Amino acid sequence: MSTRVDGRAAADLRPVTIERGFVANSTGSALIRAGATAVLVTAQVSESVPPFLEGKGVGWLTAEYAMLPGSTPGRKRRGADGRATEIQRLIGRSLRAIVDTRALGPFTIHVDADVINADGGTRTAAITGAFVAVADAVRRQFGDRAREILKDSIAAVSAGIIDGVPMLDLNYPEDSRAEVDMNVVRLGQGGLVEVQGTGEGGVFSRAELQSLLDLAESGIDRLGQLQREALGADWPF
C-alpha cells in the first residue's frame, strides 16, 4: 500500500470523531471531524411542510450547507453560491433516502451543515454527521415512532486516484491533484444512494471504478460503526 503525506495507507480513513449533542439548543446536532475538516450539523423539526406537500399527509427533509468565513485560508464570503447549492441538494437527497415521509407525517426536518474548517471531504462529512443529528432530532420529537420514520442509517466518504493509486478519504492537497475524484453515499445496510465520480485528469477504467467503490464501502462500514458508537443506546435500529 502506498503511504501518504499524513502517514496513512491508501485504504485508511483520516482520524474521525463525532461529538453528539454539540449544540444544546438544537434537538439534534453533531460536530464531526475528519482529519482537519470539521463540520457542525444541526437538525430541527417544524410542524409544517412545503406548499407542494400541504394536505398530503407526508413530510419532508431539507438541507442547507455553508462554509464559515474563517473555514478556508482566504476569507470565504457569506451567501449562497453554486457549489454550496449543489452540496446542500446532495445532503438533502441523501438524507431523504432514509426517511419514511409518510410515517413522518406533516413535519419538516431541517438540516443545517456549517463547515468550521475545510480540508477536503466537507460534503461527505456533512452527510455522515447529519445522520447522527437527524436520529436525535427524530427521537426527541417522536419518541418510539423514530423507528418507523428512519429506515436505515447513511454515511458518505470520498475516494480518488492519485499518481495511479486508488486512495480513500482525500484531504484537500490530495483532492486538488487527484486524477479521479469520487464521492460515495451509501445506506448502512448496503445500497448506494449516490455516486459522484469525475475524471479530473483524464478518463478512468471500470476496474479503477470498482477499486474506488470497494475502498469507499470499506470506509463507510467504519463510519457506520462510529455513528453507532456516537448514538450508543439510542441507535434507532
Side-chain angles (χ1 to χ4, degrees):
M1 283 287 193
S2 176
T3 302
R4 299 149 81 169
V5 174
D6 57 8
R8 286 184 290 154
D12 287 347
L13 289 171
R14 289 176 286 181
V16 177
T17 60
I18 302 174
E19 186 174 347
R20 174 190 181 195
F22 190 80
V23 179
N25 287 330
S26 181
T27 50
S29 66
L31 176 66
I32 181 169
R33 297 181 184 273
T37 286
V39 183
L40 174 61
V41 189
T42 59
Q44 296 175 297
V45 180
S46 66
E47 198 169 350
S48 63
V49 293
F52 68 90
L53 290 177
E54 288 179 357
K56 296 183 179 180
V58 299
W60 190 244
L61 182 146
T62 186
E64 294 188 16
Y65 166 97
M67 299 180 71
L68 297 185
S71 64
T72 56
R75 183 182 184 273
K76 176 71 175 176
R77 294 183 62 182
R78 294 187 188 274
D81 58 40
R83 178 179 178 275
T85 299
E86 179 236 328
I87 292 174
Q88 67 191 29
R89 287 175 178 168
L90 169 66
I91 296 169
R93 285 195 304 272
S94 299
L95 291 165
R96 284 193 293 273
I98 63 163
V99 174
D100 185 329
T101 55
R102 290 205 170 275
L104 177 62
F107 294 84
T108 297
I109 303 169
H110 300 270
V111 175
D112 289 280
D114 291 292
V115 179
I116 298 172
N117 197 73
D119 187 33
T122 60
R123 72 187 70 192
T124 53
I127 292 167
T128 302
F131 170 72
V132 173
V134 167
D136 263 342
V138 171
R139 177 183 57 82
R140 288 177 176 168
Q141 181 76 29
F142 301 103
D144 290 341
R145 283 214 305 121
R147 297 177 184 273
E148 303 170 16
I149 294 168
L150 296 178
K151 300 183 288 185
D152 201 347
S153 63
I154 194 165
V157 75
S158 69
I161 297 176
I162 301 171
D163 298 330
V165 179
M167 296 184 178
L168 179 67
D169 192 15
L170 307 184
N171 58 28
Y172 180 76
E174 292 171 336
D175 183 65
S176 63
R177 67 186 188 91
E179 297 114 56
V180 179
D181 182 23
M182 181 172 291
N183 297 300
V184 179
V185 186
R186 199 202 75 187
L187 301 179
Q189 295 180 16
L192 296 169
V193 176
E194 190 142 351
V195 177
Q196 299 179 335
T198 305
E200 303 280 359
V203 299
F204 54 101
S205 68
R206 181 172 295 192
E208 288 172 323
L209 171 62
Q210 186 62 57
S211 68
L212 291 174
L213 287 172
D214 289 344
L215 276 177
E217 294 226 59
S218 69
I220 288 171
D221 286 341
R222 175 59 181 147
L223 292 170
Q225 294 171 3
L226 294 172
Q227 290 171 324
R228 184 184 290 267
E229 290 169 9
L231 286 165
D234 293 320
W235 182 256
F237 309 112

